[in-house]
Amino acid sequence: MTCIKIVVKQVGKRHKRELRLAPHATIADLLRKLDQNRETIVVRRNGKIVVEEERLSDGDLIEILPIVTGG
Amino acid sequence: MLKCTFCGRRAAYNRRYAGVLLCDRCLIKSVEKRFRRAIAEHKLLSPGERVAVAVSGGKDSIAAMHLLVEHCGRKNCELVAITIDEGIKGYRDQSLPIARENARSLGIEHYVVSFKRTFGATLDQIVRRAKARKTELNPCTYCGVMRRSLLNQAARELGADKLATAHNLDDEVQAIMLNYVRADFSRLHRLGPSYPPREGFVPRIKPLREIPEKEVALYALLRGLEVHLAVCPYTGGIHTEIRDFLNQLEANHPNSKFMILRMFDRLKPQLAQIVPEFEMRRCKNCGEPTSANICKSCELLEGLGLERRQKTLISY
Ligand code: SF4
Ligand SMILES: [Zn+2]
Ligand SMILES: [Zn+2]
């Protein structure tokens, strides 16, 4: 099985990261890997806000936007 | 691609506690409906009232202001906005212009009240003093107490009938848990969709109380509202631990937050019967309502060798 390659950008952090994931991996799988709780973030996939159950495709750009700000 | 349960468009949100997927439009509609329902169910606003909304520039308060402006338009209410500038460098100085810009674009009068002018010190300075004096109080204690006091006073001076804050479901459930952990009975019993009128206090309303934080964020983002999304440099401590714990609980057991809220709302009438009644007095330093000789803000200031400089906040 070949892996898929995606780019992850965590908004507020400077660097983008490239990650390899198993084919059929979902955004929820990715969040688990990054230790991110879906309650505290919004995910954009190629610019669109999507649900965490969507399957990733090779070449996806995933942006993770923290929404819990305090105050 | 996953589809909206209601209309078949691409889903933007999985509302796991209800077992439905929502697209951008249906999410926006649903949030607006809950907002209206909260106002109707808890009688938060009456036609013709003057409402002050507390706006920091963050997603919750910007969403609240936009929701309120539409509601007030229909119900003939008058809306004014208040921003408390605590003086947090790199945080509030960035959100304040966003609050101002949103108010301007909506045509709402906007008033800014600052810690610096009222207390002679920014929150940053207060935190430094507190550290130097080893008070062991955390920044949020100063920030929260003083901001609440200024908001109430500003709303009162503006002749507001209600003071709306943007507390969402997460904020409210965190406050419930925090008061449990601290066994703070009187604070616990003050939580709820509204706080009844008492002399010197403008009744507070929380129309977003039954909307989860993530849905408020999605509402703001999907509507394309300009919001400030940054983390306050002082977050931390027990507040953050409770928040993380609740988010973990919700992720593993969807609907937990609502259950905690519902349980509290059912207990609340019983609580009222056992909370001691206290007499309202006026703070001898600043004149604000309090149950003691001096109010909590003045007490905190005293502990830092500061005092209140400005008595009146709003000058027309
Ligand atoms: S996190 Fe604490 S210090 Fe920062 S704005 Fe909120 S209450 Fe104030
Ligand atoms: Zn839909
Ligand atoms: Zn006082």
Side-chain angles (χ1 to χ4, degrees):
Chain A
M1 271 203 313
T2 48
C3 287
I4 55 166
K5 228 176 11 184
I6 60 154
V7 177
V8 179
K9 172 143 181 47
Q10 281 175 262
V11 179
K13 293 194 184 154
R14 220 168 293 153
H15 300 292
K16 286 183 186 173
R17 303 210 253 167
E18 227 181 63
L19 281 177
R20 282 168 192 282
L21 292 163
H24 311 304
T26 63
I27 295 172
D29 295 329
L30 170 69
L31 295 180
R32 220 166 291 126
K33 197 169 162 149
L34 297 173
D35 199 20
Q36 292 277 343
N37 186 326
R38 64 159 82 208
E39 291 286 306
T40 65
I41 50 149
V42 165
V43 179
R44 279 202 196 101
R45 176 182 180 191
N46 304 323
K48 274 243 170 248
I49 294 176
V50 294
V51 293
E52 292 82 356
E53 282 65 32
E54 282 202 6
R55 274 190 211 295
L56 293 160
S57 308
D58 198 46
D60 275 348
L61 169 65
I62 301 297
E63 289 168 280
I64 299 177
L65 188 67
I67 52 151
V68 173
T69 55
Chain B
M1 172 178 119
L2 291 157
K3 289 182 178 165
C4 174
T5 309
F6 302 100
C7 75
R9 299 173 74 242
R10 185 179 191 170
Y13 175 56
N14 185 356
R15 185 179 269 168
R16 293 165 76 221
Y17 61 83
V20 295
L21 297 172
L22 297 167
C23 69
D24 50 355
R25 281 186 211 157
C26 291
L27 182 278
I28 289 171
K29 262 198 266 171
S30 167
V31 166
E32 289 173 349
K33 198 165 143 196
R34 281 190 188 185
F35 170 84
R36 286 195 301 269
R37 194 181 63 199
I39 290 180
E41 208 174 289
H42 304 290
K43 303 190 175 59
L44 301 183
L45 290 174
S46 311
E49 281 187 319
R50 182 165 161 90
V51 190
V53 57
V55 185
S56 66
K59 62 185 192 307
D60 303 294
S61 60
I62 295 296
M65 181 161 63
H66 282 261
L67 286 159
L68 278 164
V69 93
E70 284 145 27
H71 184 87
C72 287
R74 279 194 307 274
K75 300 283 170 175
N76 212 7
C77 290
E78 211 185 322
L79 190 65
V80 292
I82 304 169
T83 300
I84 305 299
D85 179 5
E86 303 93 343
I88 305 173
K89 202 163 178 290
Y91 180 65
R92 189 60 74 229
D93 49 358
Q94 289 174 12
S95 75
L96 200 143
I98 294 175
R100 183 181 292 128
E101 191 42 45
N102 274 279
R104 197 198 55 77
S105 75
L106 292 169
I108 299 170
E109 277 177 55
H110 181 222
Y111 297 87
V112 180
V113 173
S114 82
F115 274 26
K116 179 82 187 169
R117 269 184 49 203
T118 320
F119 305 128
T122 62
L123 185 69
D124 289 338
Q125 291 168 328
I126 287 171
V127 170
R128 278 199 291 275
R129 271 179 182 255
K131 262 204 196 119
R133 292 175 182 238
K134 304 199 169 54
T135 67
E136 299 195 357
L137 291 172
N138 82 36
C140 298
T141 304
Y142 292 99
C143 187
V145 168
M146 293 174 167
R147 179 178 36 196
R148 254 196 308 279
S149 164
L150 292 186
L151 272 175
N152 178 63
Q153 189 184 343
R156 199 183 61 228
E157 290 179 9
L158 286 165
D161 298 300
K162 299 281 163 62
L163 170 60
T165 60
H167 292 95
N168 57 43
L169 174 71
D170 295 54
D171 296 325
E172 190 78 348
V173 174
Q174 285 160 29
I176 292 169
M177 292 306 284
L178 184 67
N179 289 319
Y180 261 102
V181 171
R182 290 183 168 164
D184 191 334
F185 211 70
S186 61
R187 283 250 166 95
L188 181 68
H189 138 268
R190 271 185 256 155
L191 296 170
S194 65
Y195 188 53
R198 300 196 74 141
E199 208 199 313
F201 286 106
V202 179
R204 293 175 156 248
I205 58 169
K206 297 177 189 164
L208 305 185
R209 184 176 181 261
E210 297 192 29
I211 307 177
E213 176 153 37
K214 180 154 179 177
E215 296 183 24
V216 179
L218 283 167
Y219 178 80
L221 292 168
L222 292 170
R223 273 196 60 177
L225 305 181
E226 199 205 338
V227 299
H228 182 239
L229 276 176
V231 181
C232 174
Y234 297 124
T235 48
I238 190 166
H239 292 87
T240 308
E241 286 174 45
I242 287 177
R243 185 188 72 200
D244 293 347
F245 159 72
L246 288 166
N247 283 330
Q248 197 59 53
L249 196 66
E250 182 71 25
N252 297 340
H253 310 279
N255 210 28
S256 297
K257 290 173 186 170
F258 271 113
M259 286 302 170
I260 294 171
L261 188 84
R262 301 268 179 264
M263 186 66 183
F264 171 73
D265 286 352
R266 280 170 63 189
L267 284 171
K268 198 178 138 124
Q270 321 296 322
L271 293 180
Q273 295 174 15
I274 36 178
V275 172
E277 269 295 315
F278 56 85
E279 198 197 329
M280 265 303 156
R281 304 189 220 175
R282 296 264 157 195
C283 169
K284 68 175 171 51
N285 289 2
C286 72
E288 284 303 294
T290 172
S291 58
N293 256 334
I294 70 166
C295 72
K296 195 82 187 141
S297 287
C298 287
E299 188 190 316
L300 290 174
L301 287 168
E302 254 181 32
L304 298 173
L306 294 165
E307 62 173 14
R308 184 134 171 181
R309 295 220 175 140
Q310 211 188 10
K311 291 240 157 111
T312 309
L313 301 177
I314 309 281
S315 39
Y316 285 96

